[in-house]
Amino acid sequence: MTPRLRRRNRIVAVAGLVAVWLLLWGSFTPLTLAGGIVLALVVLAVFPLPPVTFAGRLRPWPIAVFTALFLRDLLLASAQIAWLAIRPGPPPRSAIIAVPLRVGSDLNLTLTAEAVSLIPGSLIVEADRRTGTLYVHVLGVTGPAGVERARAGVLDLEARIVRAIGSAAELAALDPEGAPR
Amino acid sequence: MTAVLDVLAAVALVSGGLLCLAAGIALVRFPDLLSRMHATAKPQVLGLLLVLIGCGLRLRTAVDITTLVLVGAFALVTAPVAAHMAGRAAYRTGQVRRDLLVTDELADHPPDAP
């Protein structure tokens, strides 16, 4: 990692910690801002973060698309689980599927795993960091068609995340294998 | 204006509470741990978010709302991690109802233990 990248990672981390500090105080004054910066520097010196590289850039429109679809998915997921919970009948069947992600960076793996757990029917059981593979537990699957649909759904989600915050190289990684499998 | 906000707050609080109730019912009725973690990860989080929105609409002070925003953000970030950790431990110790699984692709490729 180049020094420039490391400095950028550190600035992102400090900004995040200061934002949390300001929200905890609930007021934006020079004193809380300065206190937050000092505290963030101390925290980062005492508990160094693992080097999570944020190489991409933020793109407003894809972020808006991702947020809107994510909220819709969260609503659908909650409705689905609530229905499965209160409907009469046998317990729902499920499946564990492997989804090899196309962008294997730690940040992408983490974000996709977080988002997958909050959208309909899926939950992370295991993440293989070496190969960039997520193992997803899917609830309410009845056959092979459902399994493939769930796999395509996770890959779609990954594509939306990379389009929102990925780097140019990561965007390029989406394309050659982007065709539906 | 105040009345409208109060009504919105009531709607959010009640629907959030109902979602949390559904999550509780799911915890009791679902067959195994992996299915139950779905309930704690989704309706529970959305229910909490709705309750927080309801509180925010009712309290209407900056100090309270920033705290509620933090609670919501950390719930969104940590709930999937907690579900993942519990699910992973359950899978590795064999607490999975295999008769309910359509397929298990993790069985063919066990990842290296860290």
Side-chain angles (χ1 to χ4, degrees), chain B:
Chain B
M1 185 63 190
T2 316
V4 173
L5 284 182
D6 276 350
V7 169
L8 285 177
V11 169
L13 284 170
V14 170
S15 47
L18 284 177
L19 270 175
C20 290
L21 174 69
I25 295 173
L27 275 186
V28 177
R29 286 203 64 206
F30 280 177
D32 64 351
L33 187 141
L34 283 177
S35 308
R36 289 191 176 122
M37 293 319 288
H38 282 275
T40 66
K42 279 160 260 181
Q44 219 287 114
V45 166
L46 185 62
L48 175 68
L49 288 181
L50 283 171
V51 169
L52 293 175
I53 290 172
C55 289
L57 289 174
R58 188 73 188 78
L59 292 168
R60 294 170 216 146
T61 53
V63 181
D64 295 322
I65 289 175
T66 53
T67 310
L68 296 176
V69 167
L70 271 188
V71 173
F74 278 113
L76 273 178
V77 174
T78 55
V81 179
H84 170 202
M85 282 298 135
R88 173 166 125 141
Y91 188 89
R92 291 191 175 186
T93 50
Q95 309 286 323
V96 179
R97 284 275 300 275
R98 299 202 167 276
D99 54 317
L100 291 174
L101 285 183
V102 175
T103 171
D104 180 3
E105 296 175 3
L106 182 51
D108 311 333
H109 313 276
D112 302 333

Side-chain angles (χ1 to χ4, degrees), chain A residues 98-103 147-149 151-152 155-156 158 173-181:
Chain A
V99 184
L101 295 186
R102 290 156 294 190
V103 179
V147 168
E148 288 314 313
R149 210 168 333 118
R151 209 191 308 273
L155 287 174
D156 268 0
E158 183 209 7
L174 281 185
D175 266 338
E177 298 166 342
R181 307 176 196 198

Side-chain angles (χ1 to χ4, degrees), chain A residues 127-169:
Chain A
D128 190 345
R129 194 177 156 211
R130 205 164 31 81
T131 58
T133 306
L134 292 178
Y135 293 91
V136 183
H137 181 255
V138 190
L139 191 66
V141 177
T142 46
V147 168
E148 288 314 313
R149 210 168 333 118
R151 209 191 308 273
V154 174
L155 287 174
D156 268 0
L157 189 71
E158 183 209 7
R160 289 209 291 272
I161 291 179
V162 170
R163 268 185 222 118
I165 62 159
S167 64

Side-chain angles (χ1 to χ4, degrees), chain A residues 1-15 44 49-55:
Chain A
M1 197 184 296
T2 64
R4 199 172 146 266
L5 259 180
R6 195 171 308 152
R7 198 171 326 126
R8 188 177 156 180
N9 285 341
R10 182 148 312 165
I11 290 171
V12 171
V14 167
L44 285 183
L49 293 173
V52 173
T53 304
F54 174 67

